[in-house]
Amino acid sequence: GGASSNTLSRSYLHNTGGDAANFASAFANTVSLSTFSASGTARAITLVASDSNTFTGILAQAAAYEAVRFNTGSDDNVVSLSSAIGFVSGSGPLIIDASDRNSISSSYFQNLVGYGFGLIGGADNNTVVLSTMIGNEAAGFALYAANADSNTVSQSYIRNTPGKGVQFAGGADYNTIQLSTVVVNNTSYQALTANASVGNRVTSSYIENSLGTALLLTTGADYNQISQSTMVGGSVTGYGLNIVSSDSNVVTGSLITNPLGDAASLITGSDYNTISLSTMITAGVNRYGLYLSGSSTNTVDGSYMRGSSGYGAYLDSSSNYNTISRSSMSANSGVYALGIVGSSANLITDSWV
């Protein structure tokens, strides 16, 4: 412990019975062009209360565990041009736990059986740029954030084919995903989910689930913002965007599509949300460009809703006091461009139906 200002370069470190490298209260060390490998349930690299270290051009791989973990108080570290490969269910090749202001750039993270990347336990103000995060677990995630605030992921590719792409859970607030792609391909999970998380931003990003729901805001996911983004769902029971029991979210300048099911849906007490300058399109038979059920005081402005084989917009089951303004709604012949059923005091103004 306490090692500082050391340099390790062009080296290979392997441990058959523990971590290949352990940084404990280590400061301002530089590691480059090296490989760290661990067997069994050990990590390639562990940092504990270690700050301002630099890792460039490294490969960290673990045979049956996390590859790299930043533990409590490992702050201001820099990782670039590096790869971490893990092999562990329920965790990831890089976990940042209760550690802040770390910078990850131009790096690759893959877990062959679990998560791709984790921010947990008060991991705040970390940055991931120009990187790839790949998970491979039905019950897991490519990127998982819980009790982690004000982190930024930019210009990155995030994929977990059998499970969730991104999960903001349990107080993951004020995080940003921008200029990034999130892709999954399954019927059971979503490409991006926010649950009980507030103030997160998705901007200029592409979110797709070719077999289900692209983006889900659920159960207290409030005050989140989605802008200049594309959300693509891919099933009759899935959605491009699904907002459930979540309030005061804003979607603007975005494209929301689902060739088989509803494009955008606000249900079960999703109130005070705003969708503006956006396009919602479904080709699903008797499905909806925009569907509201039991959700009130929402606003749609300057937007286009189309059901090429179904409905443009549909306000159902006590969806009251909603406003649609300066918008267009179109539908296939035989169904409604705009349907209002069991709902009252809604305002449709300056719109084309």
Side-chain angles (χ1 to χ4, degrees), residues 105-123:
S105 66
S106 303
S107 294
Y108 180 86
F109 305 95
Q110 182 178 13
N111 192 336
L112 302 177
V113 296
Y115 299 5
F117 194 106
L119 297 160
I120 62 174

Side-chain angles (χ1 to χ4, degrees), residues 101-353:
R101 299 180 305 280
N102 296 287
S103 175
I104 315 292
S105 66
S106 303
S107 294
Y108 180 86
F109 305 95
Q110 182 178 13
N111 192 336
L112 302 177
V113 296
Y115 299 5
F117 194 106
L119 297 160
I120 62 174
D124 303 332
N125 296 295
N126 298 285
T127 302
V128 182
V129 181
L130 294 168
S131 295
T132 297
M133 290 154 273
I134 297 178
N136 190 31
E137 184 174 28
F141 320 88
L143 171 62
Y144 179 73
N147 191 26
D149 301 337
S150 303
N151 299 286
T152 298
V153 176
S154 180
Q155 298 168 272
S156 294
Y157 178 74
I158 304 164
R159 187 185 80 207
N160 181 19
T161 299
K164 292 184 179 180
V166 176
Q167 170 86 58
F168 292 135
D173 304 327
Y174 306 107
N175 300 287
T176 298
I177 294 180
Q178 61 188 17
L179 299 165
S180 295
T181 297
V182 184
V183 178
V184 304
N185 185 26
N186 64 80
T187 60
S188 300
Y189 303 100
Q190 302 80 37
L192 190 153
T193 300
N195 178 22
S197 300
V198 304
N200 297 291
R201 296 174 61 242
V202 177
T203 183
S204 302
S205 294
Y206 180 81
I207 316 295
E208 180 185 359
N209 182 354
S210 57
L211 292 178
T213 295
L215 197 152
L216 171 66
L217 304 176
T218 185
T219 315
D222 304 329
Y223 300 101
N224 299 287
Q225 298 181 28
I226 303 165
S227 63
Q228 285 81 52
S229 294
T230 297
M231 291 151 274
V232 181
S235 72
V236 172
T237 57
Y239 306 87
L241 169 66
N242 192 18
I243 302 178
V244 182
S245 302
S246 298
D247 303 333
S248 303
N249 298 287
V250 174
V251 179
T252 186
S254 294
L255 172 63
I256 308 166
T257 70
N258 185 351
L260 298 175
D262 298 347
S265 176
L266 284 71
I267 63 174
T268 320
S270 292
D271 306 326
Y272 302 103
N273 299 286
T274 298
I275 300 175
S276 66
L277 303 171
S278 295
T279 296
M280 294 155 272
I281 299 176
T282 179
V285 176
N286 293 327
R287 306 312 301 175
Y288 309 95
L290 172 65
Y291 179 76
L292 272 68
S293 177
S295 298
S296 301
T297 324
N298 298 286
T299 299
V300 178
D301 180 64
S303 294
Y304 177 62
M305 293 148 277
R306 181 186 176 197
S308 58
S309 298
Y311 301 84
Y314 202 90
L315 280 60
D316 198 8
S317 303
S318 299
S319 293
N320 307 321
Y321 301 102
N322 298 287
T323 299
I324 299 176
S325 61
R326 301 185 301 172
S327 296
S328 296
M329 291 151 275
S330 67
N332 185 40
S333 60
V335 294
Y336 304 108
L338 171 64
I340 301 177
V341 177
S343 302
S344 61
N346 295 287
L347 174 64
I348 313 299
T349 181
D350 298 324
S351 294
W352 185 86
V353 181

